[in-house]
Amino acid sequence: MKRYIVGGAVRDAMLGRVVNDHDWVVVGSTPEEMLAAGYQAVGKDFPVFLHPETHEEHALARTERKTAPGYRGFVVHAEPSVTLEEDLQRRDLTINAMARDEDGRLVDPHGGARDLEAKVLRHVSDAFAEDPVRILRLARFAARFEGFTVAPETMALVRRMVDAGEVDALVAERVWQEVATGLMEARPSRMLQVLREEGALARLMPEVDRLYGVPQPEAHHPEIDTGVHLEMVLDQAAAANAPLTVRFACLCHDLGKGTTPPDEWPRHIGHEGRSEELARALATRLKAPTEATELAALVAREHTNIHRATELRPAALTRLLERCDAFRRPQRFAEALFACELDARGRLGLERRDYPSRPLLTKVFAAAAAMPTAEVAATAIARGAQGDEIAQAIHQARVRAVAAALDTDAD
């Protein structure tokens, strides 16, 4: 029995990145021998075990054979005769198909170290085409590793996969998992660029793909192209270390601009409502978590109003807070303001612009939220108010609190 560290741990160590987890391949062993040595079996589809002390994953060397469409249509073969080289042959990219033995010796049969040095993402073999998840993984790795490009032959292979309908076999949960991970990488714009070049973006997220080539007013968007703007916003989100919910909201905030009739370009009147509808449709199709869906819908609907907050009077500001459900969902409202600030800064030459709407709305929200709602309601009830009259009394009290915070009148 021989153990080898494989895949991402080898790659990341060579890149000088932090390695948190080590995956091992075991050659020359059987499940019975692993169990007898104290390892714990955890694999469902193939033999994977946890080390009795380190709890790191150890998988028996295996080969895979495609038997049906999709990413689950494989037969796995694992036995002591399977070599390390055969195991590495089934992996996706050359930079992920390297191993080190327990003495630190590098095993690199596919030139992964060379491609790592050249910053190239290259498939190991034509078996890459057997797993459609790799269409997404390739884009995700492009987003993770700064400056890496996709080898021309790999891009050609992926395009053939997309044309053959392989991407259509992916289940929503797997697509969301890969897209969400890609959004959290250092350069999420690269994920969109590679998916688009593959032809996969139009199949998986046509609402996003339609944004490319759609112009916006140059005065507000010097980058003009809505797709380019989206990429800039996502990279701003990554630079600001925004959470996934905010990044997904950024992805969806302008989807309605892709449905603006060309004869109305570069203006996009009413795109906010269309964006909300499309954001919900995309989130539903991807089976995104509820918190991501609701934030995306809110930002899509209200981002223009939030941008204009400095122009609004206390009553309009209060209505905006109430539409955003800020008093019941303050954390979500804070994330909406964060997403809107990223939207404002994801524009050519305006990346460091001030964004007064966020501190202003944070200030007036704090003032309105501190207003004693229960006391206002009790006073209104004592005066005979019922139903909507009570809600209106609370609203008016919030307007006065906002006006006081701004040192202005409530009219």
Side-chain angles (χ1 to χ4, degrees):
M1 172 176 136
K2 292 184 178 180
R3 302 189 311 155
Y4 299 86
I5 297 175
V6 296
V10 177
R11 176 201 67 220
D12 288 350
M14 295 176 70
L15 287 171
R17 297 167 68 98
V18 175
V19 178
N20 295 316
D21 299 306
H22 295 87
D23 292 328
W24 297 77
V25 160
V26 179
V27 176
S29 187
T30 66
E32 294 75 17
E33 291 173 343
M34 298 293 288
L35 293 173
Y39 286 79
Q40 178 185 355
V42 294
K44 294 181 179 179
D45 300 322
F46 43 82
V48 179
F49 304 84
L50 298 182
H51 190 279
E53 296 179 2
T54 67
H55 303 291
E56 292 177 333
E57 287 193 356
H58 287 61
L60 296 186
R62 66 185 189 271
T63 60
E64 296 172 346
R65 180 169 56 87
K66 183 79 167 177
T67 58
Y71 68 94
R72 292 179 176 172
F74 290 90
V75 169
V76 174
H77 175 68
E79 63 177 23
S81 63
V82 177
T83 66
L84 174 65
E85 288 72 19
E86 287 174 325
D87 183 275
L88 296 176
Q89 177 75 22
R90 68 177 174 79
R91 296 175 182 268
D92 53 2
L93 302 173
T94 60
I95 64 170
N96 297 329
M98 297 182 287
R100 287 193 185 276
D101 64 18
E102 294 185 81
D103 293 327
R105 184 177 65 90
L106 180 67
V107 181
D108 181 19
H110 304 291
R114 178 196 61 225
D115 285 340
L116 208 59
E117 179 69 23
K119 295 188 174 181
V120 173
L121 302 174
R122 189 190 317 275
H123 64 287
V124 171
S125 71
D126 286 345
F128 182 99
E130 295 179 350
D131 186 355
V133 173
R134 291 172 172 176
I135 296 170
L136 289 162
R137 281 173 56 83
L138 179 64
R140 176 162 62 80
F141 280 122
R144 176 179 300 179
F145 299 120
E146 184 77 24
F148 275 64
T149 60
V150 179
E153 63 270 26
T154 300
M155 183 58 71
L157 175 60
V158 172
R159 285 174 180 158
R160 292 196 296 271
M161 293 171 65
V162 173
D163 291 342
E166 280 288 329
V167 73
D168 303 323
L170 293 171
V171 298
E173 292 86 352
R174 196 61 189 271
V175 175
W176 169 255
Q177 179 183 356
E178 294 294 330
V179 168
T181 303
L183 288 174
M184 294 304 294
E185 299 291 6
R187 286 287 302 279
S189 62
R190 286 289 293 141
M191 176 178 69
L192 296 187
Q193 291 166 3
V194 172
L195 286 175
R196 189 164 177 250
E197 188 175 355
E198 293 171 348
L201 187 62
R203 305 285 279 270
L204 295 171
M205 295 185 286
E207 305 91 340
V208 176
D209 187 68
R210 282 196 296 263
L211 297 179
Y212 287 89
V214 175
Q216 304 167 104
E218 186 174 1
H220 301 294
H221 289 276
E223 71 286 350
I224 299 176
D225 190 297
T226 308
V228 173
H229 166 60
L230 174 58
E231 292 179 3
M232 296 179 71
V233 173
L234 289 175
D235 286 348
Q236 283 285 319
N241 199 29
L244 176 60
T245 48
V246 171
R247 299 193 197 199
F248 185 65
C250 289
L251 179 72
C252 298
H253 80 282
D254 267 347
L255 293 180
K257 291 181 178 179
T259 63
T260 302
D263 59 2
E264 296 181 12
W265 291 349
R267 302 181 70 196
H268 297 277
I269 298 174
H271 79 277
E272 298 87 356
R274 302 194 303 274
S275 295
E276 179 185 10
E277 182 179 347
L278 291 168
R280 289 190 180 279
L282 176 60
T284 298
R285 195 171 67 251
L286 296 181
K287 297 187 178 180
T290 300
E291 60 271 20
T293 301
E294 294 304 320
L295 180 65
L298 170 61
V299 171
R301 184 183 72 245
E302 299 292 349
H303 66 278
T304 301
N305 292 322
I306 290 174
H307 291 334
R308 294 179 54 243
T310 57
E311 305 170 18
L312 302 180
R313 299 290 296 163
L317 287 169
T318 303
R319 289 194 296 271
L320 176 58
L321 295 174
E322 291 169 344
R323 286 199 308 275
C324 291
D325 202 12
F327 301 103
R328 291 196 315 127
R329 303 288 300 277
Q331 179 59 37
R332 189 181 69 179
F333 180 62
E335 290 192 345
L337 297 183
F338 191 5
C340 289
E341 181 171 4
L342 296 169
D343 172 31
R345 290 180 173 169
R347 309 179 191 211
L348 188 62
L350 301 176
E351 294 85 354
R352 297 186 182 278
R353 72 188 302 188
D354 289 334
Y355 188 66
S357 288
R358 188 178 181 187
L360 171 68
L361 285 168
T362 300
K363 176 181 179 179
V364 299
F365 165 70
M371 186 271 298
T373 304
E375 293 180 17
V376 172
T379 301
I381 292 171
R383 293 174 179 174
Q386 297 179 357
D388 290 343
E389 294 173 330
I390 300 172
Q392 183 62 22
I394 294 173
H395 170 77
Q396 291 300 332
R398 287 170 174 165
V399 172
R400 292 191 294 271
V402 169
L406 298 177
D407 194 23
T408 186
D409 59 67
D411 295 333

